[in-house]
Every structure is written in C-alpha cells, then in structure tokens.
Amino acid sequence: MRLIQGMVAAAAVLVVVSILGGLGLTVLTARTLDRIEARDEIRLVRRSIEVSLERMTRELTSATVWDAAYAAMGAKVDAPWADINFGAYYKEQFEHDVAFVLRDGRVIYASRDGKRGDARALGGFPAQAAPIAAEVTKDAAAVLAKGRLSTGAEVTRRGLMKVDGAVYLVAFASVTPESRAVADAYAGPPAVVVVARRMDGPFIRRFADDLGLEDLQLLAAPPGLKPRVQLADINGRPIGVLSWDAADPGLTLIKSLAPWLALGFLVMSLAAFFLLRRVMEALAQIRDSRRQLIAAKEEAEAANAAKTLFLANMSHEIRTPLNGVLGMAQVMAADTLSEPQARRLRILEESARSLMALLNDILDIARLERRAMRLREQPFDLVEMVDAACSAFSGAAAAKNLGLKVDVAPEAGGRWTGDPIRLRQVLGNLVANAIKFTEVGGVTVRVRPLTKGLRFEVEDTGPGIAPQSLPSLFRRFSQADLSMTRAHDGAGLGLSICRELIELMGGSIDVRSEPGQGSSFFFVVPLERLADQRPSLRVVGS
C-alpha cells in the first residue's frame, strides 16, 4: 500500500512539475514573442520616420530645381512669386507648416501656414537652421562651380529639429537652375529653401494609425518600460521620445488559448510540445505578415508620393501656358476681327477654360484624397449665395429656352455659418449638369430648413437616369452611360467632387430619377443659423 501511495504521490508530483514546466515554457515563449514584436515595432517606427523625411525632401525639391525659382531668388527676391510657389504650394500640396529661404545666413523670404511674414514669425527657426543652410550653400556653390545643373546640382539635408519647444520634420534644399543661361544670370551665393512640418497631435495620430500603434505619444523623457524610440535632431542631440503601448501578441495568444492549454498540460509534456510548435508557427506567420505589411505600405507611399508630385508639377507646367492661352485670347478679342475669326477665337477660349476647369477638378480630387482640403467657417447670406450659384447659368438656360427657378423657403432665408464657396461649387455643379442634360422644360432649385442645417434640391425635366446607372453615378470618371458620355462632354469628376465635399461638411448627397421623368439631386448639410428669416422665391432665368 505504501508503495502504491508513493507511486501516486510521485505521479502527482510529476504531473504538477509537468504542468508548471509547461506553463513556464509557454510564458517564456510568449514573452519572447512580445519582445520580438516590440523590436519589429521599433524598427518600423524608425524606418517610417526616415521615409517621412525622404518624402518631405522630394516634396521640397519639386519646386527648388527650377529656373523660375533660381531667378526669383536671385539678386532681387520676387516675394509674390514665392508666395505662390513656395509658401502656398508647400502648405496646400504637402501640409508643410513653415517655409522660408536663407541666403548668407539671412532670411530673404518667410512663410508660416502658407502666409508670408517676416523672420520674427519663424521664432527660433532661422538661428537653428543657419549652420545647416551654410553647409548646403557651400556644397551647392562648389557643385555649380563645376558646371553641374538641374538635379545633378541639387544639395539637400534632412532631419529633426526642436524649435520653441516643438519637434519638427525639417528638409533643406538649394535653389538650383536647370539651364546655363539662368545660372549665368546670377552668380551670387545660392539660396537655401527650408521647410518644416510639426509633429503635433494630428500628425502623431495619423502616424499611429498608419503603423497600427496604440496610444502613441511624443514625450520629453522615456516613460517606464513601454516600447519607445529616442529621437535625435539633425545634429545628433536628443530631443524627445516616441512611446506607445506594447501589443503583446504572446500574452493575448495565451489568454485566448487558456482552456486548451489546461487540457493539453493534463496529458503531460506531449501536449506542451505540440503547443510550443504551434506558438512558433504563429510567431513565424506574424513576422511574415509584418514584413509584407511594411513592404506594401512603403510601396503604397511611394506610389502616392509619385502621384502627388505629378499633380503638383502638372499644376506648374499646365497652368502657366494655359493662362498664357487665355490671356492672348483676351488680347486678340480686343482687335477688330471678322465673324469667322471671332467664332474661332471663342471656340479657342471656351476650350481653354474647359481644360482649366478639368485641371482644377483633378487638383480638388488630389486634395480630397490627401485630406488637404480645408473648409471655411464664415457667415454668409443664403439667398445671395444661391442666387450667385444659379445666376452664372441663367444664360445657358436661356440659350436652350429652359426655365431656371429658385425657391428658397421663407423660413430658410437669412445668414448662416459654413463654407459658402464650397456650397456654391456643389450647387453650381448640380445646376450645370441639370441644364446640360435637359432639352425641354426647366430646372428648379429648392432650399428648405431642417432641424440642424439645410436641404438643397436641384430638380430637372430631363431624360432621367436608368436604375442600373444610379449606383455608379457618384464615382470618379463615371457618367450615366456611354451614350451620355458621347453626347455631352465631361470627365465624370463633378459629382464625385460634390459627394466628397458634402461628406467633408458632415452631410450627405443622393439622387432620385426615373427614365423619362427627370432627375432630382438633393443634399443635406449641417449648418448653424445666424440671422433672421426672409423669403426668397424668384426666377433667375427663363
């Protein structure tokens, strides 16, 4: 009996030891997985910061390697040119917070948030940037002295800087000529353009969403044992810490498999062996998935950067000659022309304006994709805004013998707060489409108040839209059907821009239509009322 009791006790001890050993081995494996995951996250954060700086440098040099920039920053600084091509361009296209130009340690142009200012608006930026800019100037002068031009002569620097208590991504680039004639026209010290983007709350949140990190924070000192990346400025000095909550996939995995672990450990070490193998397989899959995610993210960022640069360059390259065409057409219109010549000139001007409208639509799409579109909040008179949006098309309606009516409910009249420019853009687009596709009858614009905001409706007596075409109507580069595309010009961007603008305002847009019964496009936007009501029922055109 004692022998049996001893054997049972030994078996019990063996079971306990096996369970504890298995649990210890599993916990050790889970912690190892957590440490590997933390190291992968740290490498991903460091790589993403470097990718952001590389992209920022490409964005900067898209407007610095340019004959026009070299001439504008030459002996006589062209500040209005810099307002458009440096200040507004870097802010609107790439969301850079600061852009300024240094030459010989002196600020010759300064812009903050896309608006020109003096050097005092830059705070401590000029003093901290001057040594780096001096290095760029020295290298750029040496390269130009060797006869190099264009991208072969550009000199850049990039890194982090802490200015006035805030951390910025900063890029430097020399202003570089493309042609020998422009380079010879100015032989002074090269100018250096500096752009900076602040690592503020919205930047950190977007950065965390892109990388899938929880509670990412930019701190002055490391917080306990959380995963973190020490940030150093462009000169190697520590300036802060990026810290986040550990994902701990191993601990999560143990919690989800706890019942199976208990059952497995009861059948001794064999179950522990299979569990360990499964954990290792899961670890391998997680690491492979993370590598694929990093590769896909970098590929998508490169493609998006290329598209953004293409659109930005298109803005410079197409708008300038197109404005020249329109300007020359207006000059020619002032001359005495025969009727055939005047008709051809009108066709030329209308075609140029159509191309300009298409370019503006494409740039609006790019801004909406990059979330760079910013809405204004300002008071406006509803009746005046609706009249302005509709009166621009009264001539087109009269040319087709169509009625154009505006019906603003008396209780909706008065002053409201919102973005009247974007509201007018959406309403004008819908009215233009209604007139374009309507041959008989007319177009009616109605505005009605809601509990919170306004409801706009544009109704026409046109041919209507087939039910199968309605789902794709608000997609980009889409029209109702191929026959419509051939009968009426357009790139299919207008309704897509309308939808994205309305959704950006927090509203919604939809359509009701039946073949042969006309169409009704309507949208609802949340707006705040400011003024008294006043009626508005009028006929804009007939």
Side-chain angles (χ1 to χ4, degrees), residues 142-444:
V143 172
L144 288 175
K146 295 178 180 179
R148 297 180 186 174
L149 298 172
S150 191
T151 55
E154 67 178 4
V155 178
T156 63
R157 297 286 191 279
R158 60 176 178 266
L160 302 178
M161 292 179 64
K162 189 170 185 179
V163 181
D164 299 331
V167 178
Y168 292 81
L169 299 163
V170 184
F172 298 74
S174 61
V175 180
T176 307
E178 298 171 283
S179 64
R180 174 53 55 190
V182 172
D184 292 340
Y186 171 69
V192 177
V193 182
V194 185
V195 295
R197 185 175 182 184
R198 184 174 179 176
M199 296 179 69
D200 54 9
F203 178 90
I204 294 297
R205 286 192 294 272
R206 189 180 305 174
F207 194 79
D209 290 341
D210 289 344
L211 302 184
L213 301 177
E214 292 292 331
D215 195 26
L216 180 66
Q217 299 180 54
L218 177 59
L219 305 173
L225 300 177
K226 288 185 176 182
R228 58 185 178 270
V229 169
Q230 180 76 47
L231 301 180
D233 67 10
I234 197 169
N235 296 311
R237 296 185 297 264
I239 56 175
V241 174
L242 280 176
S243 174
W244 61 93
D245 290 339
D248 289 338
L251 182 59
T252 303
L253 184 61
I254 289 178
K255 290 180 179 179
S256 66
L257 297 178
W260 301 103
L261 289 175
L263 180 61
F265 285 132
L266 291 177
V267 294
M268 306 296 288
S269 59
L270 183 61
F273 170 75
F274 287 111
L275 179 61
L276 178 60
R277 189 173 66 177
R278 183 172 180 181
V279 170
M280 296 304 295
E281 290 173 355
L283 173 59
Q285 291 177 357
I286 291 175
R287 296 187 65 179
D288 290 343
S289 298
R290 177 54 62 91
R291 292 192 186 99
Q292 293 173 5
L293 176 62
I294 294 174
K297 179 179 180 294
E298 292 185 352
E299 183 178 354
E301 286 180 345
N304 189 59
K307 182 190 71 175
T308 302
L309 287 177
F310 169 75
L311 291 176
N313 289 332
M314 182 175 66
S315 173
H316 285 289
E317 300 298 332
I318 296 182
R319 283 191 179 206
T320 299
L322 193 56
N323 283 326
V325 171
L326 286 170
M328 187 55 64
Q330 293 172 358
V331 172
M332 294 174 64
D335 297 336
T336 302
L337 303 174
S338 65
E339 181 55 31
Q341 290 174 330
R343 184 172 62 256
R344 293 166 187 162
L345 186 59
R346 285 195 298 271
I347 293 173
L348 173 65
E349 187 171 3
E350 290 173 359
S351 299
R353 293 190 184 281
S354 297
L355 183 57
M356 182 68 78
L358 175 59
L359 176 61
N360 289 335
D361 283 347
I362 293 175
L363 293 176
D364 278 347
I365 287 291
R367 294 189 186 100
L368 288 166
E369 281 184 347
R370 294 178 48 255
R371 301 178 184 176
M373 184 74 74
R374 296 291 181 266
L375 295 178
R376 302 181 181 181
E377 287 292 334
Q378 63 185 60
F380 67 93
D381 185 274
L382 176 65
V383 174
E384 292 179 359
M385 186 278 291
V386 175
D387 280 348
C390 297
S391 60
F393 304 99
S394 58
K400 299 178 71 173
N401 200 24
L402 300 174
L404 177 56
K405 295 183 178 180
V406 175
D407 178 8
V408 179
E411 60 271 20
R415 292 174 63 78
W416 298 74
T417 297
D419 191 331
I421 296 177
R422 295 303 178 186
L423 283 173
R424 177 176 173 178
Q425 179 181 352
V426 173
L427 191 60
N429 205 319
L430 296 180
V431 172
N433 280 350
I435 294 175
K436 180 167 64 175
F437 291 103
T438 302
E439 300 298 334
V440 178
V443 176
T444 302

Side-chain angles (χ1 to χ4, degrees), residues 446-482:
R446 298 186 182 90
V447 185
R448 297 292 183 265
L450 300 175
T451 305
K452 293 183 179 180
L454 294 170
R455 182 182 188 274
F456 296 80
E457 180 180 8
V458 178
E459 184 180 51
D460 63 59
T461 58
I465 303 171
Q468 63 270 22
S469 300
L470 293 177
S472 62
L473 199 59
F474 292 97
R475 296 176 185 169
R476 293 172 188 165
F477 305 103
S478 173
Q479 289 186 335
D481 56 47
L482 292 178

